[in-house]
Amino acid sequence: MACSYVFSDDKSFLQDLDFMLEQSDQCPSLLKYQSCSIQLQKQQSDAKSNVSCADLVDLERGGCILQTKIGPIQYGMPPETIKDCLNLGMEVPTFYIIPSKRFDKRLGISTAEFEFPAYFNFFCKKKQITLICTPDTEKAIRTVFQETLLGPIDHPDLALDFYHKFPKSAYPDFHKERSVFSRNPSNLDEKLTIDHLLKFCLFDENNTATIIEGDITIKIIKDSNSFKILENGIYQKSIQDVFTFPSQYYEYIVTKPDDYRAESMKNIKSKRDAAKEQCPTPLLVKQLPEMTVEEKVENWVIGNKYQRGGEKKLSVVLWDQMGGHVESGSAIFQLDIDENKSFTPPDFGVTILGCSHGFDPKGSTSGYIFWINGRGIMVDPPPFASYHMKQMGIPSILICAVIISHCHADHDAGTFHKILDDTRVEIITTRTIMNSFLRKYSAMSNIDIDSLRRLFIFRPVIIGIPLNIYGAYFNFFYAMHTIPSLGFSVKLENKSIYFSSDTFFDPDQLLVYKNQGILSQKRYEHLAFIEFKEDLILHEAGVPPIHTAQSVLGKLPNNIKNRLYLVHTAQKDLKKELGLKIAKTGIENTMILIPSNTNKHLTTIRRLDLLSTIDIFEHLTLKNVRWLLDSVTAEEYFPGQDIIKEGTSGDRFYIIESGLARVYSKQKGQEFERYYQVGDYFGESAVLSSEGKRGASVEAVTNLKVLILEKHDFWFIFGDGLGGQGPIIQKMKQLTAARRSKAVHCLFKNSILSELTPSQKTQLEMIMREHEIEKGTVLWKVGEKPEFAFIIKRGTFAFYDSPEQDLEELDSGAYVGELKAMIENTAISTSIRATRKATIFKIAKKDLISFANKHPGIYMILIDTKYLE
């Protein structure tokens, strides 16, 4: 059931949407839609809206639409796809072809997100949608919709979600609560079912799906790589069965097979920028320069961008504890902050990534980052949130966990994108919601549940007792919604934030449900008597009746409304006359309750948190950690200031604590440029070498703070008392050897490996060992157990005696290996040999498995591949 569900007799949402569309001159009233209309709803003056039958319209988020006499047929269903149609002034289709690859495993995003097209058509237009797919896909979609529309069939682990002293009489009865909402809006005496919203048109044994509407017959013929569409026997169009998201989301440049070469980061960046100009994508939030708010204030602050005299500044608005402005005369007190500073997370606060719902064409679905002692916890990340975080200059290393509130598509669609982003991340939710999430995404991605579990760290929520997460105390609770939905309050020091999650909050109606036996007395008290004592309240106000009506929140006392911000609400729907306001989105509007580094006693803990995320330190003993914290010092640099210069003597090792640094070399024939951020390190080659010469220069791009180890401390701590033979020293020596062998140049030649983060490239370099290979050497044969993978430095290789033998020779930059066979300890399925004298970088089996397990996105790529070019 949608997080924007409406009953058929509730016209307010449709009227508001009509008004918005009419004002933007996009299409006539949604209330006037005729069934299966085949025309655009209004002809636009520009070419893109002048579409005729047999024309394909490419959609901004991916996929395309073909106009036919029975109405538009859409290929592919990325998240928020209905917004593309609404923004183009097109009818939202009722016919959808599901791509054969219904889940992009590299991005962790569904290409068959059917929930909101189904919700929009059923609840707004009173129509079913037809999904054109295989029988296996139908089965998977029914599994997904069971979890999202109707909720889990049972809740066997419910007791495990609660603290043992929590009263069982206060447990939610999800089946009873769901019965309030899960009714057919056309017949409230009838339970809502999947088949009320979905129809399936399946491909038969001849790979043909047939749709008959009156005297019109549409046939969709599926072959190995396309769908051919015929209308009354007349060929209309072929649609390639290759769904792609906007190019910059993939974040790699594909070069021609004969044009692999070591490119500088500058060249890659220029190509990527050019690609972005050619293919713009919908932005989650406005991209702005990096900034910081470091000023210590007595209360909490909100950062806000404004323009004055052509000069951009950061305005910081101070608030008192009750939410009133601190004013001087008629002007709000403002602090001008230097924009060139890099973003430094607050000790406690929240950034709103999106604040609207799934039907709002102009807004992004809700999502948040809660900042706890400088570390970020994402709540309900919207699609591609990780990409947009990088665009805003927020390093992924700062995001340590994700809270899943519930499993509706407008709340969990970006979760797997974040899981696959970098290193393994914590997923925080209840066992009930986690089990539902795993069932849903296993069906969606066709990945078994056990394999999905390995991609992240599950941290179970326990309701009824405060949980200390990164130094803040969380109190979780189950809200009232169509499926299990998790809200919380969080407190750090003497400040607190309330997050409602999607919920039905209406004390008067909750009393009715209690009297009807739907809610127990204790459950009713927990839902109805909310004190709202927190300093900041984020409360949803989506479309009733499954969400909280603004009219209910408008009745709250002013001292509460002053601290309350609406989320999951379109700006156009705001009822300002009730004294309500909507939270502003974007990093520039981060709500800060405790500014950064306010508590100096937390500096050591924060540094320990940072060091714990750095790969080379993962096996440090407690004694090593104590030595490290005692020895490390900090220095700060301004933009453009040199930290080290190429060719000079070096006796220091550096770790970036905050900011951005440029690492580059101008040595002829060895030019390169990279950018390092929080958690990256440099200077190890010089401190390991007896000569101690710097191999590159490093300068600050933004305000930069680095942690420093002197050479003697470096050898003492990482030598581990073993005369320089400690494991970290050995790793760094291998890294130095790999860099002398130009291993990273091979990575830049690979279309996939070139897009690893600097930290991931460094970790991969540490396990790459150079070997010379003679022409004709067989590296392995079909049926053998794999012992290593390899990356080609120079020379060529070819497969033989296997299905891949018809491929062209692999050359410099290509990766070859079978991770799946390594993990499962099964026989390899290829044979490969050198066709010319070659140099390769071997990666041992145990090292590759360890590397892949630490990086879920890489694991997902390598597990199903035998080579990458």
Side-chain angles (χ1 to χ4, degrees):
M1 184 167 297
C3 283
S4 299
Y5 167 101
V6 289
F7 282 127
S8 58
D9 58 354
D10 184 354
K11 302 292 186 185
S12 60
F13 169 73
L14 292 180
Q15 290 166 348
D16 288 345
L17 189 56
D18 289 342
F19 177 77
M20 183 277 298
L21 292 173
E22 288 169 355
Q23 292 298 306
S24 61
D25 197 31
Q26 290 177 323
C27 67
S29 172
L30 290 173
L31 297 173
K32 299 175 184 177
Y33 272 139
Q34 301 299 316
S35 64
C36 295
S37 170
I38 66 168
Q39 300 297 325
L40 294 177
Q41 298 305 299
K42 186 175 183 180
Q43 294 298 320
Q44 301 282 357
S45 59
D46 58 2
K48 72 179 181 181
S49 61
N50 189 16
V51 179
S52 62
C53 289
D55 282 340
L56 280 178
V57 178
D58 291 326
L59 299 176
E60 190 176 21
R61 289 168 172 81
C64 59
I65 288 177
L66 175 69
Q67 296 293 333
T68 73
K69 291 181 180 179
I70 65 169
I73 298 176
Q74 180 171 329
Y75 168 78
M77 306 169 76
E80 300 190 307
T81 189
I82 66 169
K83 297 183 180 184
D84 287 342
C85 294
L86 295 174
N87 282 325
L88 286 172
M90 299 181 68
E91 179 183 4
V92 175
T94 56
F95 298 98
Y96 295 88
I97 301 173
I98 304 298
S100 297
K101 181 182 174 183
R102 60 178 185 263
F103 189 81
D104 189 312
K105 293 182 180 179
R106 180 167 185 201
L107 293 178
I109 299 289
S110 173
T111 65
E113 200 291 281
F114 58 88
E115 288 182 50
F116 272 82
Y119 299 149
F120 184 90
N121 276 285
F122 184 72
F123 294 114
C124 297
K125 296 168 61 180
K126 300 181 182 178
K127 295 180 180 178
Q128 292 172 297
I129 65 170
T130 298
L131 301 181
I132 302 158
C133 60
T134 64
D136 286 344
T137 297
E138 178 189 4
K139 182 179 178 181
I141 286 174
R142 286 185 178 277
T143 299
V144 171
F145 223 12
Q146 174 65 53
E147 302 299 327
T148 60
L149 176 71
L150 306 176
I153 295 174
D154 55 23
H155 314 90
D157 295 327
L158 184 60
L160 299 178
D161 294 344
F162 294 90
Y163 187 56
H164 64 91
K165 293 184 179 179
F166 191 88
K168 291 185 178 181
S169 59
Y171 286 11
D173 187 325
F174 289 124
H175 290 292
K176 285 185 178 180
E177 292 179 18
R178 193 158 57 237
S179 70
V180 173
F181 308 117
S182 298
R183 295 287 169 181
N184 182 357
S186 300
N187 180 4
L188 295 179
D189 293 328
E190 184 181 22
K191 288 185 178 181
L192 195 66
T193 68
I194 293 172
D195 293 306
H196 282 121
L197 283 78
L198 303 182
K199 290 192 294 185
F200 293 90
C201 179
L202 303 181
F203 290 102
D204 60 22
E205 63 275 7
N206 297 315
N207 288 324
T208 301
T210 303
I211 304 169
I212 300 175
E213 296 277 335
D215 58 353
I216 306 297
T217 299
I218 299 289
K219 287 187 180 291
I220 299 119
I221 302 171
K222 182 180 185 300
D223 60 26
S224 59
N225 57 11
S226 67
F227 296 97
K228 184 186 297 182
I229 300 176
L230 287 77
E231 187 177 86
N232 286 341
I234 300 174
Y235 170 79
Q236 299 294 308
K237 212 77 172 179
S238 288
I239 300 175
Q240 293 299 304
D241 188 17
V242 180
F243 186 95
T244 55
F245 289 97
S247 59
Q248 57 265 48
Y249 289 147
Y250 292 96
E251 290 195 4
Y252 65 83
I253 304 299
V254 180
T255 55
K256 296 179 181 179
D258 60 352
D259 192 33
Y260 285 118
R261 63 192 182 278
E263 297 187 84
S264 70
M265 288 299 291
K266 184 179 295 184
N267 289 337
I268 290 176
K269 184 177 185 296
S270 66
K271 286 187 178 183
R272 188 175 298 153
D273 289 343
K276 289 180 183 179
E277 290 178 3
Q278 295 172 5
C279 185
T281 56
L283 284 179
L284 181 68
V285 294
K286 184 179 179 182
Q287 184 180 347
L288 289 156
E290 298 170 319
M291 63 198 70
T292 187
V293 178
E294 300 270 329
E295 283 66 14
K296 183 176 180 180
V297 293
E298 290 299 321
N299 301 296
W300 56 286
V301 301
I302 298 177
N304 186 33
K305 278 279 177 184
Y306 73 105
Q307 190 89 16
R308 178 181 294 171
E311 179 183 1
K312 291 183 179 179
K313 292 182 180 292
L314 175 64
S315 166
V316 178
V317 183
L318 304 187
W319 291 64
D320 63 23
Q321 294 244 6
M322 301 310 292
H325 290 90
V326 180
E327 299 187 5
S328 175
S330 60
I332 298 172
F333 175 56
Q334 295 175 331
L335 304 174
D336 292 340
I337 308 301
D338 181 5
E339 279 191 342
N340 291 322
K341 295 180 181 179
S342 61
F343 174 71
T344 300
D347 281 0
F348 192 41
V350 60
T351 299
I352 311 295
L353 302 178
C355 204
S356 192
H357 53 64
F359 291 163
D360 178 14
K362 300 302 182 184
S364 179
T365 52
S366 298
Y368 320 85
I369 302 177
F370 281 73
W371 299 107
I372 310 292
N373 288 321
R375 303 187 76 180
I377 299 177
M378 297 184 81
V379 178
D380 295 350
F384 304 107
S386 296
Y387 169 83
H388 293 290
M389 295 303 95
K390 292 174 183 177
Q391 292 294 97
M392 291 186 291
I394 300 178
S396 61
I397 196 172
L398 293 181
I399 307 299
C400 54
V402 173
I403 294 175
I404 302 175
S405 73
H406 61 296
C407 291
H408 280 150
D410 55 338
H411 292 267
D412 72 355
T415 301
F416 252 92
H417 182 61
K418 176 56 191 171
I419 288 173
L420 302 183
D421 179 42
D422 198 346
T423 58
R424 292 176 76 210
V425 70
E426 288 184 28
I427 303 297
I428 303 171
T429 192
T430 62
R431 288 176 172 85
T432 294
I433 294 174
M434 174 52 69
N435 289 337
S436 180
F437 178 79
L438 288 171
R439 288 191 294 268
K440 173 181 176 178
Y441 276 88
S442 177
M444 186 182 294
S445 66
N446 200 29
I447 302 171
D448 66 271
I449 287 177
D450 288 339
S451 295
L452 290 180
R453 288 182 189 275
R454 288 198 293 266
L455 299 178
F456 55 86
I457 302 164
F458 174 43
R459 186 168 185 168
V461 160
I462 305 297
I463 297 172
I465 188 172
L467 300 181
N468 187 328
I469 303 177
Y470 304 118
Y473 285 92
F474 284 75
N475 279 285
F476 290 92
F477 57 85
Y478 272 129
M480 185 174 181
H481 197 43
T482 60
I483 61 176
S485 179
L486 190 66
F488 59 83
S489 64
V490 54
K491 184 174 183 179
L492 181 65
E493 298 180 15
N494 62 341
K495 300 293 181 180
S496 56
I497 305 174
Y498 178 89
F499 173 71
S500 69
S501 189
D502 279 13
T503 188
F504 176 77
F505 172 68
D506 182 340
D508 293 340
Q509 188 60 41
L510 290 171
L511 178 61
V512 173
Y513 294 151
K514 193 264 292 184
N515 292 336
Q516 291 176 345
I518 294 170
L519 303 175
S520 67
Q521 178 66 34
K522 287 287 187 183
R523 175 70 170 154
Y524 160 70
E525 291 171 359
H526 286 172
L527 291 172
F529 303 132
I530 302 173
E531 296 183 278
F532 295 122
K533 289 183 177 181
E534 291 78 6
D535 299 286
L536 172 62
I537 302 164
L538 300 176
H539 205 293
E540 69 92 32
V543 181
I546 69 169
H547 296 279
T548 300
Q550 292 185 43
S551 58
V552 174
L553 298 175
K555 296 175 184 177
L556 295 172
N558 286 337
N559 70 327
I560 293 178
K561 288 194 288 185
N562 286 339
R563 293 176 279 118
L564 185 146
Y565 287 79
L566 300 185
V567 294
H568 210 288
T569 306
Q571 188 66 45
K572 63 182 177 58
D573 297 330
L574 177 63
K575 301 183 186 300
K576 294 181 180 179
E577 67 275 12
L578 298 178
L580 301 173
K581 55 190 174 293
I582 294 177
K584 294 183 178 181
T585 61
I587 194 172
E588 74 278 15
N589 292 308
T590 295
M591 297 189 235
I592 304 172
L593 280 75
I594 304 177
S596 178
N597 297 317
T598 299
N599 188 342
K600 299 301 181 183
H601 297 294
L602 291 175
T603 299
T604 299
I605 295 176
R606 294 180 70 164
R607 285 181 180 169
L608 184 60
D609 283 341
L610 172 63
L611 296 172
S612 71
T613 63
I614 298 174
D615 56 287
I616 58 171
F617 300 147
E618 62 183 345
H619 297 304
L620 279 180
T621 65
L622 290 176
K623 185 179 290 186
N624 288 134
V625 171
R626 174 61 185 271
W627 290 339
L628 182 58
L629 292 174
D630 286 345
S631 302
V632 75
T633 59
E635 286 186 2
E636 297 185 17
Y637 295 86
F638 297 108
Q641 188 174 1
D642 291 329
I643 297 97
I644 60 177
K645 293 293 290 183
E646 185 176 9
T648 60
S649 298
D651 52 11
R652 288 172 147 194
F653 173 68
Y654 299 84
I655 303 166
I656 298 179
E657 186 172 34
S658 64
L660 185 69
R662 173 176 168 252
V663 183
Y664 65 96
S665 174
K666 294 183 178 180
Q667 185 178 348
K668 188 175 181 179
Q670 304 297 331
E671 298 91 344
F672 73 90
E673 183 181 44
R674 300 190 211 174
Y675 290 90
Y676 283 5
Q677 57 185 355
V678 177
D680 290 328
Y681 50 87
F682 55 89
E684 73 285 343
S685 296
V687 297
L688 286 170
S689 170
S690 58
E691 297 179 357
K693 296 294 184 182
R694 298 296 191 188
S697 297
V698 181
E699 69 174 6
V701 177
T702 65
N703 281 350
L704 185 72
K705 190 172 185 178
V706 294
L707 303 179
I708 298 170
L709 270 179
E710 297 290 345
K711 187 171 185 175
H712 59 274
D713 288 324
F714 179 92
W715 277 94
F716 171 67
I717 295 168
F718 301 138
D720 202 28
L722 299 176
Q725 299 304 310
I728 292 177
I729 292 288
Q730 293 304 306
K731 280 186 177 182
M732 290 192 173
K733 284 184 175 180
Q734 175 55 37
L735 176 61
T736 299
R739 287 182 171 169
R740 286 174 180 164
S741 300
K742 306 297 185 291
V744 74
H745 288 195
C746 295
L747 302 184
F748 278 120
K749 296 177 186 179
N750 188 289
S751 62
I752 304 298
L753 302 181
S754 63
E755 291 305 314
L756 301 181
T757 66
S759 174
Q760 289 172 334
K761 287 190 181 82
T762 296
Q763 293 175 59
L764 189 52
E765 286 177 281
M766 285 182 178
I767 58 176
M768 295 168 61
R769 288 166 172 78
E770 191 173 21
H771 292 267
E772 299 295 327
I773 304 295
E774 295 297 323
K775 179 181 178 180
T777 301
V778 174
L779 277 74
W780 59 67
K781 296 179 181 179
V782 171
E784 295 179 349
K785 293 290 184 69
E787 296 299 330
F788 64 93
F790 67 94
I791 296 172
I792 304 171
K793 181 178 181 180
R794 65 175 65 92
T796 56
F797 288 79
F799 292 108
Y800 69 99
D801 291 344
S802 59
E804 292 77 14
Q805 64 188 16
D806 294 330
L807 294 173
E808 292 184 3
E809 291 182 337
L810 303 174
D811 58 9
S812 183
Y815 159 90
V816 186
E818 296 189 31
L819 178 64
K820 187 173 184 179
M822 292 180 184
I823 291 174
E824 297 177 353
N825 197 30
T826 56
I828 210 161
S829 62
T830 58
S831 299
I832 192 164
R833 62 188 166 202
T835 53
R836 281 191 290 175
K837 185 175 181 179
T839 304
I840 65 172
F841 291 101
K842 280 188 177 182
I843 306 172
K845 172 181 175 179
K846 64 179 182 60
D847 290 334
L848 184 61
I849 292 174
S850 176
F851 177 70
N853 285 337
K854 292 175 188 174
H855 304 285
I858 297 171
Y859 174 91
M860 292 293 286
I861 293 170
L862 297 184
I863 196 67
D864 290 325
T865 191
K866 299 173 186 178
Y867 68 96
L868 295 172
E869 294 186 278

